[in-house]
Amino acid sequence: MEKLGLNEIRKLFREFYVSKGHYAAPSASLIPKNDKSLLIINSGMAPLKPYFSGQETPPSKRMTTCQKCIRTGDIDNVGLTSRHGTFFEMLGNFSFGDYFKKESLTWGMEFVLDVLKMPIDKIWVTVYKDDDQAYEIWKSLGIPEEHIVRLGKEDNFWEIGLGPCGPDSEMFFDRGPEYGSPDDDFVQGCEHDRYIEFWNHVFTQFSKEEDGTYTDLAHPNIDTGMGLERLACIMQGVDSIFDIDTIRHILDSVSSLCGKAYEDGDEKADVSMRIITDHLRSMVFMIADGIVPSNEGRGYVLRRLIRRAARHGKMLGIDGAFLADLADKVIEVSGDAYPEIVEKQDYIKKIISVEEKQFAATLGQGEAIIGEYLEEMKKAGVTQLSGDKAFKLYDTYGFPLELTEEILAEHEFSADRDGFDTAMAAQKKKSREGRQDTSEVAWEENWTPEDVPETVFTGYDHYEDDATLLFLSGESRDAEQALEGEDVILYLDKTPFYAESGGQVSDKGIMTTEDGEVEIFAVEKTRGVFAHKGRVTRGAINKGDSIHCAIDRIRRNKTARNHTATHLLQQALRDVLGNHVEQAGSLNNDKELRFDFNHYEAMKPEEIARVEEIVNEKICSFLPVTTVETTIDEAQKMGAMALFGEKYGDVVRVVSCGDWSVELCGGTHVSNIGQIGAFKIASESGVASGVRRIVALTGTGILEAAHAAESVIADVAETMKSKPHLIQGKATSLMEDLKAARKELEEFKKEAMGSELDDMISSAKAFGEVNLITREFEDYNIGDLRGLSDDIKARCKSTMMVFATVNGGKVTMLVSLTDDLTEKGLHAGKMIKQIAACVGGGGGGKADMAQAGGKNPAGISDAFKVAEELLS
């Protein structure tokens, strides 16, 4: 049996199934498309579910893929064993109602014997106990009967609830008696890892009904899955995925960086090296597919992986940030198969660096806090960290709960997960308070009549058109007539009205018949059928009427202008920031354009200015905007940018602005980019971790904004008793006067505090060897109180100060102790919690100084009494 590298195995598998008439589809994104049941793609068939269910038509009835996958359930086990990993690749061949068992098993055997050169005496297979057909096929392919094992439903029947299901057949490789007792039967041998399952052929031939019975599917399917890493272990004669050629390349780089040899007797170091190696693979592919670190969903998984790997690097003694540099090792071994990680190499490394840097800033603090918690639990005799404290580590120091649990487990402690969830829910509830529900009730039911054909859209070339009213939904879903004042939904054979999609809002306008008129204010599209939503404003309309459709052309032109500008903006952003920029959302209407894109930091002013400059240069070049309909393959050859993760049909529409910006797009556009007029960025902001948003204006939208700005300037000039062109100088003069006044006030305040210093020290109350100074101030800030405290400490020993100041009805308190008192065990941070309770507040701090806030100025005298009681 020839020793084959992982990349070579992948290539051989693809070429073999292409030779059998299969369409070799690229790996789908790790982000599921239109599948809320999955957080991240975790199997080869997961992206193909719409094809198996019949919701979508596959590009071919025969397909083969090598799908990148991540399984989050294995994160806690990664590193502890030598075989668990989060990232893996799944080879598969699929038939959608084409071939079935005989072809699937025959080709599987051919690939194993003729391509991989596995000896047939090493091959074992399992079949479902009642699947005589699969049993006989294996016999005909040369598998001895003693190597064919019948198993029950738990092992060899695939089903998930109701619907398509069927038996499956698994292929195993016998690694020899040295991996188990020669007397073991097959099942025992599997438990001892003598027999390694590497390929599963699922025969989806039944449908499970509600009464528990099984009916035959009219078109049976084939779904196979073979783990690439597991197959590589077999072909390379190694026991661990971390010894496979490509993965070992990464691990050796980790080993070299930390200066520790792998499997050299230090098991803790081995665990850390395996964790870093595996997590590096996952983070590279996740970021390349558009996932960015965050506190929710798949972004939380990525954050957890990066931070876990960073911590284990520190445990190995690696100084400073290191993950971004090691990411190059992943790209070196996987870049040929997945060019997207090469194209986005700089972006991937930047995201890792930013996240690692953020975590490094709090890692030491967080670990120190956990250390304090561990000591407290040991003294209290408890073994579980409270949910509130676990949540504080998450909320304040960025420690994923699982990372906190991992650190606690290293000391044989645990965390209260239920309490953590309660604290998380309380925070979310608080953040939701005060929000208004802005969802619209009208038209919320998503319903489309089944017998209405797809609507022909004529709006690319026409502002007006004549159509036939095929279906009318008014007071009843299938109405014959609607009268003045009624809300209606109209379904036509053709329409010039654009339906909301691709970030572009729908058209508005008027439809008229011989007897009536309808104002259209929204258009939606489902399965190619346009639903025109509006209100009858005159007369009556009837099902079957000839109807004249006229869109609001000024609104359409403004919207088209903004949509074309969005294309220019995206290309300019890629030119200025890098090719990692991809659309994460957009909105184009007649007022403005909004564009969300992947980027790891706020844009610099000079970057914003350069993007504006590029777009306006292109507008002034008067490049033509052309559209063409073609196949997705031809579009990609043209260099067209596609919306990430989007699935496209057989025919796509390519919109080109000269030869500079080329995108797949179904929206409406200007015919020449000079018609945009001008482009101005109104704002740039962050909307999520790793996602930025630009809001921009074009054409007369800029003029409207300029008029609004002029009005504001005029109002400011009037308030400042100046003229508009002189307000800058006037504002500068006023700020200088204000600065001088504040400086003079500070000097008066310092002089006043200085005169009070002797008085405060002399009026201190003695409590044993400790002197207590209490004083209330008006309109002092916390800096003033600290400065006063420092002055007293410079002159006194054995002194405790409790200061309070009131600003705008709110209380700020300071407790400060001289160093000799903290050495005796007094702690300002602990004392202030009891003192500040009197003013309805709380706080904390260090042993020598702490501060707190409150809302009850009337309680200040009581707070001073509490301070006296503490010293008494």
Side-chain angles (χ1 to χ4, degrees), residues 727-738:
I727 60 171
Q728 183 176 359
K730 183 76 169 180
T732 301
S733 176
L734 288 174
M735 289 304 297
E736 289 175 351
D737 290 345
L738 180 61

PDB file of all heavy atoms in Angstrom, residues 727-738:
ATOM      1  N   ILE A 727     -17.801  82.373  11.958  1.00  0.00           N
ATOM      2  CA  ILE A 727     -18.074  81.612  13.185  1.00  0.00           C
ATOM      3  C   ILE A 727     -16.884  80.765  13.639  1.00  0.00           C
ATOM      4  O   ILE A 727     -16.742  80.492  14.834  1.00  0.00           O
ATOM      5  CB  ILE A 727     -19.325  80.711  13.038  1.00  0.00           C
ATOM      6  CG1 ILE A 727     -19.140  79.696  11.911  1.00  0.00           C
ATOM      7  CG2 ILE A 727     -20.569  81.519  12.854  1.00  0.00           C
ATOM      8  CD1 ILE A 727     -20.259  78.659  11.870  1.00  0.00           C
ATOM      9  N   GLN A 728     -16.009  80.368  12.719  1.00  0.00           N
ATOM     10  CA  GLN A 728     -14.860  79.574  13.148  1.00  0.00           C
ATOM     11  C   GLN A 728     -13.964  80.386  14.076  1.00  0.00           C
ATOM     12  O   GLN A 728     -13.552  79.912  15.145  1.00  0.00           O
ATOM     13  CB  GLN A 728     -14.065  79.074  11.943  1.00  0.00           C
ATOM     14  CG  GLN A 728     -12.892  78.164  12.342  1.00  0.00           C
ATOM     15  CD  GLN A 728     -12.167  77.594  11.132  1.00  0.00           C
ATOM     16  OE1 GLN A 728     -12.534  77.846  10.000  1.00  0.00           O
ATOM     17  NE2 GLN A 728     -11.131  76.817  11.388  1.00  0.00           N
ATOM     18  N   GLY A 729     -13.668  81.619  13.678  1.00  0.00           N
ATOM     19  CA  GLY A 729     -12.845  82.482  14.522  1.00  0.00           C
ATOM     20  C   GLY A 729     -13.537  82.812  15.833  1.00  0.00           C
ATOM     21  O   GLY A 729     -12.910  82.850  16.893  1.00  0.00           O
ATOM     22  N   LYS A 730     -14.854  83.037  15.761  1.00  0.00           N
ATOM     23  CA  LYS A 730     -15.628  83.346  16.956  1.00  0.00           C
ATOM     24  C   LYS A 730     -15.598  82.166  17.924  1.00  0.00           C
ATOM     25  O   LYS A 730     -15.412  82.346  19.140  1.00  0.00           O
ATOM     26  CB  LYS A 730     -17.069  83.656  16.557  1.00  0.00           C
ATOM     27  CG  LYS A 730     -17.963  84.058  17.709  1.00  0.00           C
ATOM     28  CD  LYS A 730     -17.712  85.475  18.181  1.00  0.00           C
ATOM     29  CE  LYS A 730     -18.774  85.937  19.138  1.00  0.00           C
ATOM     30  NZ  LYS A 730     -18.560  87.314  19.607  1.00  0.00           N
ATOM     31  N   ALA A 731     -15.759  80.927  17.395  1.00  0.00           N
ATOM     32  CA  ALA A 731     -15.750  79.731  18.238  1.00  0.00           C
ATOM     33  C   ALA A 731     -14.385  79.536  18.895  1.00  0.00           C
ATOM     34  O   ALA A 731     -14.294  79.189  20.078  1.00  0.00           O
ATOM     35  CB  ALA A 731     -16.109  78.496  17.409  1.00  0.00           C
ATOM     36  N   THR A 732     -13.312  79.787  18.135  1.00  0.00           N
ATOM     37  CA  THR A 732     -11.963  79.661  18.693  1.00  0.00           C
ATOM     38  C   THR A 732     -11.757  80.639  19.842  1.00  0.00           C
ATOM     39  O   THR A 732     -11.196  80.302  20.895  1.00  0.00           O
ATOM     40  CB  THR A 732     -10.910  79.908  17.594  1.00  0.00           C
ATOM     41  OG1 THR A 732     -11.100  78.965  16.532  1.00  0.00           O
ATOM     42  CG2 THR A 732      -9.503  79.771  18.143  1.00  0.00           C
ATOM     43  N   SER A 733     -12.221  81.872  19.642  1.00  0.00           N
ATOM     44  CA  SER A 733     -12.086  82.893  20.688  1.00  0.00           C
ATOM     45  C   SER A 733     -12.862  82.497  21.945  1.00  0.00           C
ATOM     46  O   SER A 733     -12.360  82.637  23.073  1.00  0.00           O
ATOM     47  CB  SER A 733     -12.586  84.238  20.152  1.00  0.00           C
ATOM     48  OG  SER A 733     -12.561  85.221  21.153  1.00  0.00           O
ATOM     49  N   LEU A 734     -14.087  82.003  21.759  1.00  0.00           N
ATOM     50  CA  LEU A 734     -14.902  81.606  22.910  1.00  0.00           C
ATOM     51  C   LEU A 734     -14.264  80.438  23.667  1.00  0.00           C
ATOM     52  O   LEU A 734     -14.290  80.392  24.902  1.00  0.00           O
ATOM     53  CB  LEU A 734     -16.305  81.221  22.444  1.00  0.00           C
ATOM     54  CG  LEU A 734     -17.215  82.370  21.995  1.00  0.00           C
ATOM     55  CD1 LEU A 734     -18.514  81.796  21.412  1.00  0.00           C
ATOM     56  CD2 LEU A 734     -17.519  83.294  23.175  1.00  0.00           C
ATOM     57  N   MET A 735     -13.684  79.474  22.950  1.00  0.00           N
ATOM     58  CA  MET A 735     -13.051  78.325  23.602  1.00  0.00           C
ATOM     59  C   MET A 735     -11.829  78.768  24.400  1.00  0.00           C
ATOM     60  O   MET A 735     -11.564  78.246  25.488  1.00  0.00           O
ATOM     61  CB  MET A 735     -12.658  77.284  22.559  1.00  0.00           C
ATOM     62  CG  MET A 735     -13.836  76.541  21.929  1.00  0.00           C
ATOM     63  SD  MET A 735     -14.895  75.728  23.158  1.00  0.00           S
ATOM     64  CE  MET A 735     -13.729  74.550  23.850  1.00  0.00           C
ATOM     65  N   GLU A 736     -11.070  79.723  23.866  1.00  0.00           N
ATOM     66  CA  GLU A 736      -9.908  80.243  24.600  1.00  0.00           C
ATOM     67  C   GLU A 736     -10.339  80.940  25.882  1.00  0.00           C
ATOM     68  O   GLU A 736      -9.706  80.779  26.939  1.00  0.00           O
ATOM     69  CB  GLU A 736      -9.108  81.186  23.702  1.00  0.00           C
ATOM     70  CG  GLU A 736      -8.373  80.460  22.577  1.00  0.00           C
ATOM     71  CD  GLU A 736      -7.686  81.413  21.623  1.00  0.00           C
ATOM     72  OE1 GLU A 736      -7.927  82.651  21.753  1.00  0.00           O
ATOM     73  OE2 GLU A 736      -6.924  80.952  20.758  1.00  0.00           O
ATOM     74  N   ASP A 737     -11.428  81.716  25.789  1.00  0.00           N
ATOM     75  CA  ASP A 737     -11.949  82.391  26.980  1.00  0.00           C
ATOM     76  C   ASP A 737     -12.413  81.359  28.008  1.00  0.00           C
ATOM     77  O   ASP A 737     -12.181  81.519  29.229  1.00  0.00           O
ATOM     78  CB  ASP A 737     -13.124  83.306  26.602  1.00  0.00           C
ATOM     79  CG  ASP A 737     -12.679  84.514  25.792  1.00  0.00           C
ATOM     80  OD1 ASP A 737     -11.460  84.788  25.761  1.00  0.00           O
ATOM     81  OD2 ASP A 737     -13.556  85.154  25.165  1.00  0.00           O
ATOM     82  N   LEU A 738     -13.109  80.310  27.541  1.00  0.00           N
ATOM     83  CA  LEU A 738     -13.600  79.277  28.441  1.00  0.00           C
ATOM     84  C   LEU A 738     -12.442  78.550  29.114  1.00  0.00           C
ATOM     85  O   LEU A 738     -12.489  78.247  30.316  1.00  0.00           O
ATOM     86  CB  LEU A 738     -14.483  78.288  27.669  1.00  0.00           C
ATOM     87  CG  LEU A 738     -15.088  77.127  28.464  1.00  0.00           C
ATOM     88  CD1 LEU A 738     -15.993  77.659  29.580  1.00  0.00           C
ATOM     89  CD2 LEU A 738     -15.889  76.197  27.550  1.00  0.00           C
TER      90      LEU A 738
END
